[in-house]
Amino acid sequence: MGFVLMKKIGIITHYDVHNHGALLQLTALTRVLAMRGVEAKALRFDKNYDFMGHALKAKYDVSIKSLGIYLRYLKDKGFGCTKYNYQKRKTLNRFKVSAGIIGDYYSESPLLDGVIVGSDEVFALHTGPTPVFFGHCLPTDNVFSYAGSFGPTTYADICNLHSTAFVKSGIEAMKYVTVRDANSASVVRQLIDNEPPIVVDPVLLYGYKKEISEMGSPSYKNYLLVYAYDNRMNSKEEVDAIRKYASSRGLKTLSPGFYHDWCDYNVNVDPITLLSYFKNAEEVLTDTFHGSVMSLITESKLAVKTRESNHFKLRNLLLEYGLEDRIFQAWEDLDSVMSPNIDYDRVNVEIERRRADSMIHLDKMLQMI
């Protein structure tokens, strides 16, 4: 009896970050591809940090040179945050091993049928020019982009960083390019005079429906879930506004995934378990892309605080699902934005439509291998 060999695909994305959203989108893409008979794992590589400045680069090139940076981190953030992030690193590393989502170093993976670059801000240039993010030097000519994003990087930024030829040649050589947002589509259009399809993030593509339906409830009840990086939502104005709002609703504040010492609860969870905290929250307050995406797939009642660095990205996402009215910028508007209920019957129809359309583009990539 014969058998069919599974295709093997490498994924180039932000695999070595301590961010639940990044690992959720990577895991989602591997699971969608597995359903298509494809074995996929993230390829390891070294990220470039040249645009961050020589001194700050030592933070990421862990060595004796980075000791001073981490001592300052301990001093600035305090013992509680440092301990939390140490435990978080261990939790996420265990998850990556158990989920089996990390593969070989890219230059040591010669037997791949193809490579997919994405999702997440793989095309962003704020840290530095990393060749593999743009398909350069990969061990196959079958290179694609699924839901790649330039994040805050604009076409003007690419020109100002003298990176036009570097970025353009990589994008142009890819066999099929899809992006995650309108800014990224605009950049690709200006680079190669081609309009790339806008597809959904892998978290929305996969949906985690089975996992969400089977998961239990956290031991915490009646909480406002706060999902923001630990260097944000910490000013006195923000903390006072959030605490006042939570108190008016009779809610405790809970932060899963990032440490905020002013929250009633800070919990360390793996990326899948994190979804149960979203599902069971009374309300969700976030200022991140994947915090918004997790809210959508768990049908959470949410309000989204945008900032200069992410306003267009978040507005684009919520606009796609008719939820731009969930955005606020002034803290005094939090109550009025959060109060209305969300018609998730309508939202889910749009999610399913975009999911089906995005799957068509992913299948086209696989057919080209």
Side-chain angles (χ1 to χ4, degrees):
M1 183 175 180
F3 62 93
V4 178
L5 289 174
M6 292 184 72
K7 292 178 181 176
K8 291 189 176 182
I9 286 181
I11 298 172
I12 294 291
T13 191
H14 296 284
Y15 70 94
D16 197 24
V17 294
H18 298 107
N19 181 296
H20 293 73
L23 293 182
L24 271 176
Q25 65 85 15
L26 168 57
T27 304
L29 186 54
T30 64
R31 294 185 180 183
V32 169
L33 289 170
M35 294 161 57
R36 293 303 202 254
V38 175
E39 179 185 334
K41 294 179 185 291
L43 300 178
R44 291 181 288 123
F45 57 90
D46 295 322
K47 195 181 296 185
N48 187 290
Y49 297 103
D50 286 349
F51 292 161
M52 299 186 72
H54 184 71
L56 190 57
K57 185 178 177 182
K59 173 182 175 183
Y60 300 96
D61 293 336
V62 179
S63 67
I64 192 66
K65 294 184 297 182
S66 56
L67 180 61
I69 288 177
Y70 288 106
L71 288 175
R72 285 196 297 274
Y73 180 92
L74 175 60
K75 179 181 178 182
D76 294 341
K77 297 290 188 177
F79 178 75
C81 184
T82 304
K83 179 182 177 182
Y84 179 93
N85 282 312
Y86 173 74
Q87 293 295 336
K88 174 181 175 180
R89 181 186 183 92
K90 291 175 63 177
T91 298
L92 296 184
N93 283 343
R94 282 195 301 267
F95 173 81
K96 286 189 282 188
V97 171
S98 65
I101 55 177
I102 309 299
D104 298 325
Y105 198 80
Y106 80 97
S107 59
E108 299 170 356
S109 304
L111 299 177
L112 296 174
D113 296 300
V115 170
I116 293 177
V117 180
S119 175
D120 222 336
E121 296 183 4
V122 288
F123 299 144
L125 284 176
H126 54 278
T127 63
T130 300
V132 294
F133 278 151
F134 299 94
H136 296 298
C137 307
L138 292 172
T140 175
D141 291 330
N142 292 325
V143 180
F144 311 88
S145 164
Y146 181 81
S149 174
F150 282 88
T153 300
T154 63
Y155 180 72
D157 293 331
I158 295 171
C159 296
N160 292 335
L161 290 167
H162 310 288
S163 300
T164 307
F166 169 74
V167 175
K168 178 181 178 180
S169 60
I171 299 292
E172 208 163 30
M174 292 182 184
K175 291 194 170 181
Y176 203 105
V177 177
T178 64
V179 295
R180 196 179 70 176
D181 53 78
N183 172 62
S184 299
S186 173
V187 174
V188 171
R189 184 171 60 250
Q190 293 175 83
L191 283 169
I192 65 173
D193 194 27
N194 188 31
E195 189 73 38
I198 296 177
V199 296
V200 299
D201 183 89
V203 177
L204 283 164
L205 184 70
Y206 178 59
Y208 288 97
K209 290 182 178 180
K210 181 175 184 293
E211 291 84 349
I212 292 171
S213 67
E214 294 177 351
M215 61 182 47
S217 300
S219 58
Y220 303 93
K221 306 294 180 186
N222 300 317
Y223 58 87
L224 168 69
L225 187 148
V226 179
Y227 193 77
Y229 299 139
D230 53 23
N231 63 342
R232 303 202 295 231
M233 290 196 190
N234 285 324
S235 70
K236 186 177 188 305
E237 176 198 7
E238 293 173 311
V239 172
D240 287 349
I242 297 168
R243 280 177 162 172
K244 181 180 178 181
Y245 173 78
S247 177
S248 72
R249 297 295 178 103
L251 302 175
K252 296 289 188 179
T253 51
L254 183 148
S255 176
F258 297 101
Y259 185 83
H260 296 279
D261 61 2
W262 54 268
C263 277
D264 294 302
Y265 312 114
N266 284 277
V267 293
N268 247 317
V269 292
D270 67 69
I272 304 293
T273 304
L274 175 61
L275 295 174
S276 71
Y277 283 81
F278 273 81
K279 179 182 178 181
N280 290 281
E282 295 296 323
E283 297 173 348
V284 172
L285 170 62
T286 187
D287 63 356
T288 75
F289 180 88
H290 279 115
S292 302
V293 168
M294 286 185 274
S295 298
L296 293 182
I297 66 172
T298 55
E299 301 188 4
S300 301
K301 189 176 184 181
L302 85 155
V304 180
K305 174 75 168 70
T306 61
R307 303 176 186 277
E308 185 177 348
S309 62
N310 65 14
H311 177 73
F312 293 113
K313 175 174 67 173
L314 282 172
R315 187 177 185 279
N316 181 82
L317 170 70
L318 296 171
L319 186 64
E320 289 176 343
Y321 302 100
L323 295 176
E324 63 271 26
D325 59 347
R326 310 307 293 194
I327 294 174
F328 73 98
Q329 291 178 285
W331 284 101
E332 56 265 28
D333 296 330
L334 173 57
D335 193 309
S336 61
V337 168
M338 186 74 85
S339 291
N341 290 321
I342 297 174
D343 181 2
Y344 270 107
D345 287 339
R346 176 184 57 80
V347 172
N348 287 332
V349 168
E350 186 60 19
I351 289 177
E352 289 297 335
R353 186 189 73 79
R354 290 178 178 273
R355 179 178 287 148
D357 182 65
S358 300
M359 202 70 81
I360 289 172
H361 293 292
L362 184 61
D363 284 339
K364 286 181 179 179
M365 296 178 197
L366 297 179
Q367 290 164 9
M368 295 175 72
I369 297 177

